[in-house]
Amino acid sequence: MRPFLIFLSALLFASLACGQSVPVTPFPARENPASDSGETIYGFFPSPPKTTIVSVIGHFKDLGNYGDFVLFQHNIPWEEFVDSIEGESKSRTDIANQVILARQNGLDTLFVVDALNGLNRREFSGLPSDWEASFANPQVRTAFTNYTLWVVRNFHPHYLGLASEINTYMDAFPKDAPNFASLYHELYATIKAESPDTQVFVTFQWDDLNNMWAQPEEGNRKKFDINWDQIEAFEPELDLWVISSYPYFVFPSGKDIPANYYSRLLSRTTKPVAIAEGGFTSRALGDIHATPEDQVTYLQALHDQLGSRLAFWVYLVLNDFDMDSYSKMFRAQGGSDSDLGTLSMFSSIGLREMDGTSKPALDVWMSYRNEP
C-alpha cells in the first residue's frame, strides 16, 4: 500500500487565477515564521473535505486554527521547467495562489518536491510520454533542478524536501536509485549556495523501510530489519531525517505499535527528525478494524518515541474527506480505478469528521501542539 497526495489545484487555483497565468513576484520572507520558534511545529496537507471552492476556503481557515503550517507537495510541471527557472505559466500562478491563501490564514509553508505518483510511487507523475522515466534522463534532472530553484527563490522555505518516500522507488528500481542520489547531492550543494539556512531532506516510508510487508524485489528480508542503507545513501547531506508512517496497514490496532518502533530512528542519527506525513484511520477498512481510540494511540506512540527530537510533524489531513466528491474529480482528471481504490483507504484518516466534528485524537494533537 502506498500513501497518497491529494492535489486540488485544477479545481481551486484555476478559479482563483481565472484560469490564467500571471507573473509571480518573489514573496518576502515571513516575519517570525513558525520554523524559527525552535519548537516542534505542527501541520497538515491542504486537502479539504470536499472538492468545492467553498470547502477549500473554509478548510484553510480551519488549518490556521489547528496547525502552524501547510505542506505543499506538488508534482513537477516538467515541460514548464525544462528550459528555464523563471517564466510565466499556470502552474506557477497556481502554486503562488496556494501560498497566498496559506499566509492569509497565518500558516507557514513547507515544500516537498515530488517527481512521483503519490498513489503509486513506482511511476513518475505527469512525465511527457516521449521522456525516459529515469533520474538519469538529462531532461528530468534539469526540470527537477529548475523547479526546485524556482521554489527556493520565490518562497524561501525553511524546510525543503526533494523527494517523498524515496525508498519505495529505490526498492522498485534499484538501478535508478544511484541516479536519484547523485541528483540529490548535486542539488543540495546548489540550494545551499543560494540559501544556506534552508534545511534539505528526502522522506522515507518508515513502514516499508522496516520491511513490514512482503516485496519480492527486496528478497527475503525480515520484518523490523530496517534498510538503513537507503537513508545513509543521502548522508552526509541530510539536514534532518524525515519519515512517513501509516501503521494501520501493518498493525491490527494502535496498541500493537511496538514501544521502540519509531525510537530506533533516534539511535541511528543525532540529527533532528520529522514526520512528513502519516495518520491512522478511525474506521474499519476490510481486514483493518480501527477505531477513533487507535488514532489517539498512534499519536501517543509518535509523541512518546520521537517527540524530544521532532522538528516538524505533519498529520496527513485535518478532516475526513467525501469519497463521492473526490471520485468525481479524480475520474475527471483521468485517475485510474486502482489509484481511486488506494485513495479510499485514507478517507477516514482525519482528526475530524467531514462536517468538522472533532474526534478524540484532535484534543491530543492540540495538547502536543500547545506544549512548551
Side-chain angles (χ1 to χ4, degrees), residues 21-340:
S21 62
V22 296
V24 174
T25 302
F27 284 52
R30 289 192 69 201
E31 295 184 5
N32 302 315
S35 54
D36 284 353
S37 68
E39 299 178 351
T40 305
I41 56 175
Y42 294 77
F44 300 91
F45 276 65
S47 313
K50 294 188 177 183
T51 59
T52 66
I53 299 298
V54 171
S55 182
V56 173
I57 298 299
H59 188 61
F60 266 78
K61 292 180 181 179
D62 290 341
L63 292 174
N65 293 325
Y66 297 106
D68 305 304
F69 67 91
V70 61
L71 187 144
F72 292 131
Q73 188 167 305
H74 306 102
N75 289 124
I76 299 167
W78 300 103
E79 292 178 298
E80 295 176 16
F81 284 89
V82 70
D83 292 324
S84 66
I85 298 173
E86 302 305 328
E88 186 176 315
S89 66
K90 184 178 173 302
S91 293
R92 290 174 170 89
T93 302
D94 291 347
I95 295 167
N97 282 330
Q98 293 179 59
V99 175
I100 290 170
L101 191 57
R103 291 195 174 194
Q104 286 174 342
N105 289 282
L107 291 159
D108 204 347
T109 51
L110 275 65
F111 282 81
V112 172
V113 178
D114 199 355
L116 306 175
N117 177 357
L119 290 162
N120 180 2
R121 297 209 172 278
R122 294 168 181 264
E123 62 186 32
F124 282 76
S125 178
L127 200 68
S129 59
D130 59 343
W131 287 25
E132 179 190 5
S134 167
F135 286 108
N137 181 351
Q139 294 168 299
V140 168
R141 297 174 78 90
T142 297
F144 193 111
T145 299
N146 287 346
Y147 172 75
T148 302
L149 292 178
W150 180 80
V151 169
V152 170
R153 293 173 183 177
N154 283 277
F155 307 118
H156 321 291
H158 182 72
Y159 293 112
L160 177 62
L162 300 185
S164 177
E165 302 175 328
I166 192 61
N167 56 301
T168 60
Y169 184 84
M170 296 167 78
D171 289 344
F173 301 101
K175 292 183 179 179
D176 200 30
N179 296 321
F180 177 77
S182 70
L183 175 60
Y184 176 86
H185 290 301
E186 290 171 9
L187 193 46
Y188 181 95
T190 303
I191 293 168
K192 290 295 185 177
E194 291 209 15
S195 181
D197 293 333
T198 297
Q199 300 297 287
V200 185
F201 59 92
V202 293
T203 84
F204 301 92
Q205 213 299 313
W206 185 247
D207 312 302
D208 181 44
L209 208 68
N210 278 263
N211 294 288
M212 297 305 293
W213 46 74
Q215 290 186 252
E217 65 268 22
E218 289 192 84
N220 190 26
R221 290 185 179 267
K222 296 180 180 180
K223 289 184 177 182
F224 302 108
D225 184 9
I226 302 174
N227 300 345
W228 293 117
D229 58 306
Q230 292 182 324
I231 299 180
E232 291 166 351
F234 298 92
E235 286 288 13
E237 294 170 323
L238 284 174
D239 292 328
L240 59 167
W241 285 24
V242 185
I243 64 169
S244 67
S245 179
Y246 298 87
Y248 61 96
F249 291 112
V250 294
F251 297 111
S253 163
K255 294 180 180 179
D256 295 312
I257 299 172
N260 67 343
Y261 185 59
Y262 298 110
S263 60
R264 288 179 297 165
L265 193 64
L266 305 185
S267 67
R268 194 74 178 194
T269 180
T270 59
K271 293 182 177 181
V273 299
I275 303 161
E277 63 176 278
F280 210 103
T281 185
S282 63
R283 290 188 178 86
L285 294 167
D287 294 333
I288 299 169
H289 303 289
T291 68
E293 288 68 34
D294 289 313
Q295 285 189 319
V296 170
T297 308
Y298 162 78
L299 293 180
Q300 291 171 337
L302 282 168
H303 177 267
D304 294 349
Q305 295 186 43
L306 297 179
S308 63
R309 295 257 295 275
L310 281 176
F312 63 84
W313 185 349
V314 179
Y315 193 88
L316 188 66
V317 290
L318 174 60
N319 284 36
D320 291 348
F321 55 89
D322 184 341
M323 274 304 298
D324 289 338
S325 178
Y326 271 73
S327 295
K328 290 177 182 177
M329 184 176 180
F330 194 78
R331 293 186 187 282
Q333 293 182 334
S336 69
D337 289 342
S338 174
D339 284 353
L340 188 60

